[in-house]
């Protein structure tokens, strides 16, 4: 039977292209921070039955494990550097390990990053990643710098991942097949908005990624008595939601997690500048509301106050 170290050596060692001072495989990874750069570090885990459904392909899990962590780097305006992986498996099943490791490494290469170390253990399937990124000194986009009057905006489209989760739990697909496949792809293979986050450095006043839904994540951008007003009809709905009633679309787009788009605040002048940047113009940015001084969040649908569900909470019974 293969042991941890033979499996790591066979499937997970990746060429660091000279970025490590001590070769991969020692007790710690040792690397030099690039000059005039700061290091951004984040960690997140995905657990079977909580963050992904049983039966999700190992290829998809390799991508998701990387991208949900790179999304945090994107939210700070950081460029990916490397990751560390802690993989817990029920058994050393190479029919899972091979496609998982291949997709993980391919996704890292697409993002100009590499696997710098980690470990494997036996237990219920879970995947924990620590990701490191770099950015110029003093340029990190924080959560706590929104200003009254700022536009609230998002990248891309919303609601597809939440649709896949909701329909999977109910066992009833409520959209056509192409829309369902798009929703499942967004859930299982999210894409971190790295180039968009970098483009928003120096323009956005605050930013985070939408992992738990706007109704959960927006409150993290409010400080010092600030509030927010969100126009639900302005949310950039995923095309996968096109056939759904308006109320369900707004609930999915506002409260559903897993889209990993960027939610940011920005002045009107900088919003106009951002719209002309190729990376942002390609993905699309949409103004959905304003930062207010009210100290509360209100959701409006065509100007009328509307109730929307709370977003994801890891410790609430779902």
């Amino acid at each position: 039977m293969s042991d941890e170290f033979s499996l790591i050596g066979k499937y997970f060692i990746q060429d660091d292209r000279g970025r490590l001072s001590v070769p991969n495989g020692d007790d710690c990874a040792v690397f030099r921070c690039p000059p005039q750069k700061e290091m951004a570090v984040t960690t997140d885990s995905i657990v079977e039955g909580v963050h992904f459904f049983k039966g999700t392909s190992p290829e998809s899990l390799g991508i998701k494990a990387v991208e949900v962590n790179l999304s945090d780097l994107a939210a700070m305006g950081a460029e990916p550097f490397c990751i560390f992986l802690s993989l817990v498996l029920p058994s050393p099943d190479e029919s899972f390990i091979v496609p998982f490791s291949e997709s993980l490494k391919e996704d890292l290469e697409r993002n100009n990053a590499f696997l710098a170390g980690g470990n494997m253990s036996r237990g219920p399937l879970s995947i924990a990643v620590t990701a490191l990124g770099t950015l110029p000194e003093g340029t990190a986009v924080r959560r706590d710098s929104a200003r009254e009057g700022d536009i609230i905006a998002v990248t891309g489209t919303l609601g597809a991942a939440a649709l896949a989760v909701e329909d999977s739990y109910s066992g009833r697909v409520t959209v056509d097949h192409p829309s369902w496949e798009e929703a499942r792809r967004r859930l299982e293979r999210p894409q971190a908005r790295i180039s968009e986050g970098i483009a928003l450095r120096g323009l956005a006043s605050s930013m985070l990624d939408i992992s738990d839904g706007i109704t959960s994540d927006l409150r993290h951008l409010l400080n010092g008595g600030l509030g927010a007003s969100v126009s639900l009809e302005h949310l950039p709905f995923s095309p996968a939601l096109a056939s759904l009633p308006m109320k369900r679309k707004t609930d999915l787009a506002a409260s559903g997690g897993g889209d990993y788009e960027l939610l940011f605040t920005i002045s009107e002048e900088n919003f106009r500048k951002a719209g002309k940047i190729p990376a942002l113009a390609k993905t699309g940015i949409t103004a959905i509301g304003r930062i207010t001084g009210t100290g509360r969040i209100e959701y409006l649908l065509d100007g009328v106050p509307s109730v929307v569900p709370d977003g994801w909470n890891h410790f609430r019974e779902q």
Side-chain angles (χ1 to χ4, degrees), residues 30-107:
V30 180
F31 51 85
R32 299 179 185 89
C33 288
Q36 308 303 312
K37 297 277 189 177
E38 293 179 325
M39 190 70 71
V41 184
T42 186
T43 187
D44 210 343
S45 60
I46 57 174
V47 179
E48 186 176 63
V50 179
H51 304 98
F52 61 89
F53 290 99
K54 186 177 179 63
T56 300
S57 74
E59 293 90 348
S60 292
L61 292 177
I63 293 170
K64 185 163 187 171
V66 171
E67 294 289 334
V68 299
N69 283 274
L70 298 191
S71 184
D72 282 334
L73 298 181
M76 301 290 288
E79 181 178 350
F81 181 75
C82 70
I83 73 162
F84 295 85
L85 170 71
S86 180
L87 179 61
V88 181
L89 296 170
S91 66
D93 180 1
E94 294 189 41
S95 68
F96 176 94
I97 292 171
V98 171
F100 172 83
S101 63
E102 289 177 351
S103 71
L104 181 139
K105 289 189 289 187
E106 288 170 4
D107 199 63

Side-chain angles (χ1 to χ4, degrees), residues 233-277:
E233 70 274 11
H234 292 161
L235 295 176
F237 301 116
S238 166
L241 311 185
S243 65
L244 300 177
M246 188 62 172
K247 173 60 175 169
R248 189 172 180 216
K249 285 199 291 189
T250 57
D251 284 355
L252 290 169
S255 304
D259 286 308
Y260 295 97
E261 296 290 354
L262 298 177
L263 174 68
F264 59 98
T265 61
I266 190 168
S267 69
E268 288 192 33
E269 179 183 0
N270 284 347
F271 184 77
R272 288 191 293 270
K273 291 178 182 178
K276 298 176 183 178
I277 297 173

Side-chain angles (χ1 to χ4, degrees), residues 152 214-222 226-230 290-292 294-300 305-306 308:
I152 303 168
I214 289 175
T215 53
S216 282
D217 291 325
L218 177 57
R219 68 190 64 165
H220 299 307
L221 297 181
L222 305 179
L226 291 178
S229 177
V230 175
R290 291 273 184 177
I291 295 295
T292 69
T294 63
R296 66 179 186 275
I297 303 175
E298 62 175 358
Y299 294 94
L300 306 174
S306 181
V308 289

Side-chain angles (χ1 to χ4, degrees), residues 71-287:
S71 184
D72 282 334
L73 298 181
M76 301 290 288
E79 181 178 350
F81 181 75
C82 70
I83 73 162
F84 295 85
L85 170 71
S86 180
L87 179 61
V88 181
L89 296 170
S91 66
D93 180 1
E94 294 189 41
S95 68
F96 176 94
I97 292 171
V98 171
F100 172 83
S101 63
E102 289 177 351
S103 71
L104 181 139
K105 289 189 289 187
E106 288 170 4
D107 199 63
L108 286 170
E109 288 171 1
R110 281 195 294 272
N111 286 285
N112 195 33
F114 65 99
L115 179 61
N119 74 289
M120 296 178 67
S121 183
R122 182 188 295 274
L125 179 58
S126 66
I127 308 156
V129 166
T130 297
L132 285 72
T134 61
L135 67 168
E137 290 180 353
T139 64
V141 187
R142 296 170 49 159
R143 291 183 173 192
D144 60 355
S145 303
R147 298 179 289 264
E148 185 175 352
D150 278 352
I151 290 171
I152 303 168
V154 294
T155 60
T157 63
L158 303 172
L163 171 65
V165 170
E166 194 172 274
D167 278 10
S168 294
Y169 272 126
S170 71
R172 185 172 62 91
V173 175
T174 56
V175 293
D176 60 33
H177 182 72
S179 296
W180 167 247
E181 288 301 314
E182 168 61 14
R184 187 170 68 174
R185 184 193 66 79
R186 286 294 301 268
L187 174 66
E188 295 183 353
R189 302 190 178 198
Q191 181 179 357
R193 299 301 190 185
I194 298 295
S195 59
E196 295 85 351
I198 292 171
L200 285 164
R201 278 193 321 230
L203 294 177
S205 55
S206 66
M207 184 159 63
L208 48 65
D209 69 328
I210 305 174
S211 56
D212 299 329
I214 289 175
T215 53
S216 282
D217 291 325
L218 177 57
R219 68 190 64 165
H220 299 307
L221 297 181
L222 305 179
N223 62 89
L226 291 178
S229 177
V230 175
S231 297
L232 295 172
E233 70 274 11
H234 292 161
L235 295 176
F237 301 116
S238 166
L241 311 185
S243 65
L244 300 177
M246 188 62 172
K247 173 60 175 169
R248 189 172 180 216
K249 285 199 291 189
T250 57
D251 284 355
L252 290 169
S255 304
D259 286 308
Y260 295 97
E261 296 290 354
L262 298 177
L263 174 68
F264 59 98
T265 61
I266 190 168
S267 69
E268 288 192 33
E269 179 183 0
N270 284 347
F271 184 77
R272 288 191 293 270
K273 291 178 182 178
K276 298 176 183 178
I277 297 173
L280 296 170
K282 180 179 179 181
T283 301
I285 55 174
T286 304

